[in-house]
Amino acid sequence: MNTASPAGALPAMRARGLSSPVRASVPYYNSEGELGDGNYPTNSNQPVAVAGGLTFAASGINAGQNHSCGLTTAPVVGAYCWGYGYDGQLGNGSTGSFATTPVRIKQ
């Protein structure tokens, strides 16, 4: 995985309940696509890079119980979410589904 990023930015990695990446060997569940790596339903015992080649602000990642959202810095500035979206958590106007890779929030 290429970890090179502009200063103040980093590739998003799923970190349950944390706003920055964590390097710990704990289970990372992917029951609703919440890892964002497109490998649903494969769990991981390590942090994984979120799909799409997006770079997220270091302080711009938030993890919910089964979904995550982040503010990107490159290649396009925007807000993206992935994971459980049955109740509108992803912000893209849909309900009743989930996203295994980041989807842009509707503005």
Side-chain angles (χ1 to χ4, degrees):
M1 177 176 76
N2 180 359
T3 57
S5 308
L10 52 112
M13 301 179 118
R14 177 70 176 163
R16 282 193 175 271
L18 302 173
S19 60
S20 61
V22 64
R23 302 242 185 229
S25 293
V26 297
Y28 289 82
Y29 298 104
N30 201 20
S31 63
E32 303 288 344
E34 58 266 44
L35 292 181
D37 64 351
N39 290 323
Y40 166 82
T42 304
N43 297 330
S44 176
N45 63 356
Q46 302 176 49
V48 296
V50 172
L54 301 168
T55 300
F56 292 80
S59 61
I61 302 170
N62 280 309
Q65 182 174 349
N66 290 72
H67 72 285
S68 296
C69 295
L71 299 174
T72 58
T73 59
V76 177
V77 176
Y80 291 80
C81 292
W82 55 93
Y84 185 92
Y86 289 92
D87 299 313
Q89 293 92 325
L90 302 182
N92 63 349
S94 69
T95 57
S97 65
F98 58 91
T100 62
T101 59
V103 294
R104 191 160 184 155
I105 293 175
K106 279 189 170 182
Q107 298 191 26

